[in-house]
Amino acid sequence: MKKMKMRLTGFLAFALLSISILSYGVSGTAFAASDPNPALPISTDLDIVANGSTVKISGNVKDYDSSSGKGLTFIITSPDNNIVGIGQLTPKSDGSFTKNIISGGPLWKLNGDYTIEFHYGSDSSEVSVNYVGGEEVVSGQPEPTPKPKPEPKPEPKPKPEPEPEPEPEPEPEPEPEPTCGAGTELINGICQVIKTEEPDGGGCLIATAAYGTELAPQVQFLREIRDNTVMSTSSGIAFMSGFNQLYYSFSPTIADMERENPMFQEAVRAFITPMISTLSIMTLADNGSEVEVLGLGISVIALNLGMYIAAPALIGFKVRKHIKSRK
């Protein structure tokens, strides 16, 4: 009987040891994370974000050549595989880079995992953050400073006899500060370019590369039409969501070609300038007016179709007819 109890005790100990080993293996598998791409490792400081939270993404490009002029392209995809943001950035000379993304906005409609994918040449990596929505969180507010306690008043000391006041030395006249131009600001006595953070909706990559800077008046005009007029209506938001799917499938490639080929950059600039001029019609619409934004938007599309497709086709037909009549 005693030997049977000892065998039963040993069997139970062996069973408990086996279960603990199996549970360790299962838990290790469940929480294991895939290794990042060694050529383009990236990471985030937050896994779960709310509306208005700032997500900091850090990474490094292995064997980065700063003289190539190439930049990183990032694409933000929603849980239903719609593009909600896209942009480009240039790494530092050592290949490291950081990007701050503010979650939320009119395009972040669903709660769930949003994927941020980075591309550099043939290398790509991606990270995901879980968006939980909610009321907008305003981060970075300074904490209220405590009011200083009043110090006890010192006892009055006997007044000393007044000494003769020395004559004040003339103060040197301050040097006038330099006047900075448009798009720059004065920092420590030096005019520096104002750095702007691109919104999550992305920017016009082709126009930015064509005019050389995001501070160009044409690029700022496109951004104002998109944010203040088109995105002020539900139909405009729906149009931009579909337009982004098509536009950002080819615009990063064309933008890289513009930066590498100055002749191609000039050709693109001459091509898109008339189209940007026609968009001034959209300024006639009242912000938030569905009827005016939709009507003027259709007019701009029809005008561009006539200018870029119908007019060249008609001219080609007339030239061909004239050549045939001379034969």
Side-chain angles (χ1 to χ4, degrees), residues 10 29 70 76 78 86 93 113 120 126 131 174 212 218 232 236 238 240 249-250 258 273 280 294 327:
T29 303
K70 292 185 178 180
I76 308 173
S78 64
I86 193 168
S93 58
D113 290 337
Y120 182 78
E126 64 180 34
Y131 177 66
Q218 295 85 350
S232 66
M240 289 303 301
S249 63
F250 62 85
E258 290 182 74
T273 297
S280 60
L294 185 60
K327 291 182 178 180

Side-chain angles (χ1 to χ4, degrees), residues 183-206:
T184 61
E185 60 181 350
L186 186 65
I187 300 177
N188 296 328
I190 301 175
C191 293
Q192 299 183 8
V193 177
I194 300 174
K195 296 182 179 179
T196 58
E197 185 71 19
E198 188 66 32
D200 292 335
C204 186
L205 303 182
I206 295 177

Side-chain angles (χ1 to χ4, degrees), residues 22 27 29 31 42 76 78-79 84 114 128 163 172 184 199 220 228-229 240 244 255-256 259 266 280 297 324:
L22 288 174
S27 64
T29 303
F31 293 100
I42 57 176
I76 308 173
S78 64
V84 300
Y114 282 71
S128 298
E163 296 181 357
T184 61
Q220 293 181 357
N228 299 334
T229 304
M240 289 303 301
N244 286 340
D256 287 337
R259 283 188 285 269
E266 292 293 334
S280 60
K324 284 185 176 181

Side-chain angles (χ1 to χ4, degrees), residues 22-36:
L22 288 174
S23 65
Y24 176 79
V26 171
S27 64
T29 303
F31 293 100
S34 60
D35 292 334

Side-chain angles (χ1 to χ4, degrees), residues 7-149:
R7 290 180 180 178
L8 182 60
T9 302
F11 176 76
L12 291 174
F14 177 77
L16 290 174
L17 179 61
S18 300
I19 291 173
S20 65
I21 293 174
L22 288 174
S23 65
Y24 176 79
V26 171
S27 64
T29 303
F31 293 100
S34 60
D35 292 334
N37 184 353
L40 187 60
I42 57 176
S43 61
T44 62
D45 61 340
L46 295 176
D47 295 330
I48 301 175
V49 296
N51 185 14
S53 299
T54 300
V55 183
K56 181 179 181 181
I57 303 175
S58 304
N60 185 71
V61 179
K62 185 178 180 182
D63 300 330
Y64 174 67
D65 183 9
S66 58
S67 62
S68 64
K70 292 185 178 180
L72 279 162
T73 301
F74 66 89
I75 302 174
I76 308 173
T77 308
S78 64
D80 55 354
N81 293 326
N82 284 327
I83 295 176
V84 300
I86 193 168
Q88 287 186 326
L89 58 91
T90 303
K92 297 179 181 178
S93 58
D94 60 352
S96 63
F97 61 89
T98 57
K99 175 65 180 176
N100 292 331
I101 296 176
I102 301 177
S103 60
L107 298 180
W108 292 56
K109 300 178 181 178
L110 302 177
N111 293 353
D113 290 337
Y114 282 71
T115 302
I116 303 99
E117 185 175 356
F118 281 79
H119 294 272
Y120 182 78
S122 60
D123 296 320
S124 64
S125 293
E126 64 180 34
V127 290
S128 298
V129 293
N130 185 262
Y131 177 66
V132 297
E135 295 183 359
E136 185 174 0
V137 178
V138 180
S139 60
Q141 291 183 345
E143 296 181 358
T145 55
K147 295 182 179 179
K149 296 181 180 180

